[in-house]
Amino acid sequence: MAEVYIALVDTPGLFASIIKKVIGIDYCHVVLALDESFEQAYSVNRRNPAIPYFAGFVREDSEKILRKFPTASYRIIRLPCSIEQKERIQKELEACYEIRWRIHYCLVGLPFLMLNRPFHQKNHYTCSSFLAKLLDEQAISLFDKHFSLVTPRDFYELTQFEQIYEGSFSKYLRYQVQQKEAKGHAW
């Protein structure tokens, strides 16, 4: 058995505040990590945390995120999967990273999302639609709707998986460092 991690993120900002109002929860962003310490984390997000206008497929950089959003809150859940599913997810994420400049945020799809009408433009996703599609393609079907209609709220409402943390991202990362150091000192 293996696992991946899904983080729901509460970040400040104008665009984030609009998303929060539309979906009705504080967590407006979704990230997928292959490891508990979020060293291998990916999403459809701002290419530069300081610039909200250019978004696409990114490998999350914890240091940049902490500098730009030091008070960001995370809700992290552990999602069990098979070793084969995790390997396929990793390969797909690596393939997407290779073509990251061709994967963009789907602004055009937002009105369709609000109207509850499926819409997909090639290589254009929201953070949650990308993750829903990726997981569904690996036989991890979490939602009974088209991937383009999945929002961070849908991930928030998943109750069948273990929540491992909720709070400040900086505290979570400090805890992960402590855990690694403790394991390094174990005989």
Side-chain angles (χ1 to χ4, degrees), residues 31-94:
V31 176
L32 177 69
L34 297 170
D35 61 313
E36 201 168 10
S37 57
F38 279 71
E39 292 175 9
Q40 295 179 44
Y42 299 86
S43 72
V44 173
N45 193 5
R46 300 172 181 194
R47 295 195 191 279
N48 179 330
I51 305 170
Y53 306 108
F54 303 105
F57 187 79
V58 297
R59 183 168 179 176
E60 298 277 332
D61 183 328
S62 297
E63 289 180 21
K64 283 183 181 177
I65 291 167
L66 289 174
R67 277 195 304 273
K68 180 61 185 165
F69 306 112
T71 61
S73 292
Y74 275 52
R75 180 180 197 183
I76 301 171
I77 60 173
R78 185 186 334 257
L79 180 66
C81 60
S82 71
I83 293 169
E84 295 80 16
Q85 286 171 316
K86 185 171 182 172
E87 288 172 352
R88 290 192 309 263
I89 289 169
Q90 182 170 5
K91 285 180 183 171
E92 183 61 27
L93 290 170
E94 290 169 357

